[in-house]
Amino acid sequence: MGNTFGKILRLTTFGESHGTAIGGVLDGYPAGIDINMDFIQSELDRRRPGQSAITTSRNETDKIEFLSGIFEGKSTGCPIGFIVRNANYKSDDYDNMRTLFRPSHADYTYFSKYGIRDHRGGGRSSARITISRCVGGALAKLALQQLGITVNAYTSQVGNIALDNDYTKYDLSKTETNIVRCPDEKKAEEMIQLISEVKNDGDTIGGTITCVIKGCPVGLGEPEFGKLNATLGAAILSINAVKGIEFGGGFDMTTRRGSEVNDIFINDKGKITTLTNNSGGIQGGISNGQDIYFRIAFKPVATLLKEQPTVDIEGNKTILKAKGRHDPCVLSRAVPIVEAMAAMTILDSLLMLNTVNI
């Protein structure tokens, strides 16, 4: 079922939304990395449900328990096993969905492929499974920190409320100062208001997240089928509700001329660099030493707290009225997930160079 991510740094995940626990095994992680438990827990806290008025009210503490691979505060080089126990699930809320296919969910495709599905909160297709990604991502960030590489994402659009596409205009240290995780205070207030209105209507809304990776050396990625933008794209597109990704100038460059968007090389005090970064830090599938940045499109959450027409497993028309606790907008909780997948991809790419000492 494709439960393992990565080539040298490999994360295998397990668990269901309403099962006993979510967990994983991270293999290929370098030995001797200082493991900051408080940092890892803080990354999970950024993703956890019940953290604000614009997220689901499911109240999980998401406390991490490490089972192996860490000794006296350092990674040993052995597989790092971990679990996060589920506690505040209400499976009864999903009883009326047992034989129905929720619009735009994985219910129909999962049932068609496997002939069985866990209807309780989506089971394996639930976004709760991303807990394991955030653990792997937190560990990857700790290793990247030793190399001076940072990964920061932020909410850049909710509905029609959008920031400028130029991330350099914003102080990314302000991302965590509001519940929507937007570095622009005024826009953040507008986004929160819109999400609140949508929530009161029993509806949902989508938007975009921007991710910026700083400090990457030249040379990550392969020129053919292992392009860095391709591996980052595959990692990001595996996140629930993601429907698109664009690097650098992205789709906006389709309406412009090459003379307008080419990144001109210059010699800056003995170092080759570029005047602009429309390529998003990746050229020919290989990192060029500039900031890597990309934008991700998230569709509205599929579960609405209002009636929707659908069919049951026999194909009979029916009406679905969802119950339970659901996010009206996934963006604020998806920010740490985006960072996690990007961090693991970058660390995996670094380890494939075979020249990196961490």
Side-chain angles (χ1 to χ4, degrees):
M1 289 177 62
N3 297 308
T4 299
F5 169 82
K7 293 185 177 180
I8 293 179
L9 182 75
R10 299 180 302 279
L11 174 69
T12 300
T13 72
F14 62 85
E16 295 83 33
S17 179
H18 289 209
T20 302
I22 306 297
V25 176
L26 185 67
D27 201 1
Y29 190 75
I33 304 296
D34 291 325
I35 305 300
N36 185 330
M37 295 296 187
D38 290 337
F39 173 76
I40 295 171
Q41 186 60 58
S42 71
E43 291 293 275
L44 286 180
D45 291 344
R46 295 171 70 211
R47 193 225 69 94
R48 78 174 184 85
Q51 61 182 275
S52 76
I54 60 171
T55 65
T56 171
S57 60
R58 180 172 175 173
N59 188 20
E60 296 277 6
T61 58
D62 287 352
K63 294 300 181 184
I64 182 73
E65 299 176 40
F66 283 102
L67 308 177
S68 63
I70 299 172
F71 179 67
E72 295 184 340
K74 291 183 180 292
S75 59
T76 65
C78 298
I80 300 175
F82 59 88
I83 59 171
V84 173
R85 299 183 187 276
N86 293 323
N88 188 236
Y89 50 87
K90 297 181 179 180
S91 299
D92 291 348
D93 287 341
Y94 295 87
D95 283 348
N96 67 320
M97 306 177 197
R98 181 184 290 269
T99 61
L100 305 183
F101 294 134
R102 294 172 295 172
S104 286
H105 266 282
D107 299 347
Y108 171 71
T109 51
Y110 196 105
F111 182 76
S112 297
K113 183 176 179 68
Y114 298 105
I116 188 172
R117 70 179 175 97
D118 184 347
H119 67 283
R120 306 165 303 165
R124 186 67 176 154
S125 64
S126 170
R128 183 154 179 77
I129 307 306
T130 58
I131 286 174
S132 298
R133 300 173 182 227
C134 284
V135 176
L139 289 164
K141 281 185 176 183
L142 289 174
L144 293 176
Q145 284 175 9
Q146 298 195 19
L147 298 172
I149 299 172
T150 61
V151 182
N152 295 103
Y154 61 91
T155 299
S156 50
Q157 182 172 349
V158 174
N160 60 358
I161 302 170
L163 272 61
D164 192 279
N165 283 340
D166 184 0
Y167 70 90
T168 63
K169 294 182 178 180
Y170 304 102
D171 181 356
L172 301 191
S173 69
K174 295 182 178 179
T175 299
E176 295 295 317
T177 62
N178 55 76
I179 59 177
V180 77
R181 294 198 165 92
C182 171
D184 184 297
E185 183 178 352
K186 184 177 182 298
K187 290 290 187 181
E189 292 176 358
E190 295 176 15
M191 291 174 179
I192 292 168
Q193 179 62 34
L194 176 57
I195 295 172
S196 298
E197 293 172 1
V198 167
K199 180 180 179 181
N200 290 336
D201 289 339
D203 216 328
T204 62
I205 195 163
T208 68
I209 287 175
T210 297
C211 185
V212 183
I213 306 170
K214 292 178 174 289
C216 277
V218 179
L220 299 188
E222 304 300 328
E224 185 60 13
F225 297 113
K227 288 178 168 63
L228 184 59
N229 48 309
T231 54
L232 279 168
I236 298 301
L237 287 165
S238 72
I239 300 172
N240 307 54
V242 171
K243 284 298 182 182
I245 184 170
E246 61 175 0
F247 290 84
F251 287 102
D252 179 60
M253 292 195 293
T254 63
T255 62
R256 301 170 67 185
R257 298 189 179 192
S259 56
E260 297 177 282
V261 300
N262 276 356
D263 295 318
I264 304 301
F265 288 105
I266 60 171
N267 186 325
D268 183 15
K269 299 177 182 178
K271 177 183 178 182
I272 295 178
T273 184
T274 56
L275 282 173
T276 56
N277 189 18
N278 293 311
S279 301
I282 302 172
Q283 293 173 326
I286 301 172
S287 61
N288 66 1
Q290 301 297 310
D291 292 348
I292 296 171
Y293 70 99
F294 47 90
R295 287 177 295 278
I296 309 122
F298 282 80
K299 73 182 182 70
V301 176
T303 300
L304 314 183
L305 296 182
K306 56 172 57 180
E307 291 187 349
Q308 293 185 89
T310 187
V311 298
D312 60 21
I313 59 176
E314 302 297 333
N316 300 311
K317 292 182 179 180
T318 186
I319 298 294
L320 169 66
K321 181 61 166 67
K323 301 177 183 178
R325 302 156 295 176
H326 307 280
D327 290 289
C329 179
V330 74
L331 295 170
S332 63
R333 295 177 61 211
V335 164
I337 304 168
V338 167
E339 291 178 357
M341 296 308 295
M344 285 191 289
T345 301
I346 294 299
L347 181 56
D348 195 25
S349 296
L350 281 164
L351 293 172
M352 283 191 281
L353 290 178
N354 292 322
T355 58
V356 178
N357 294 314
I358 301 179

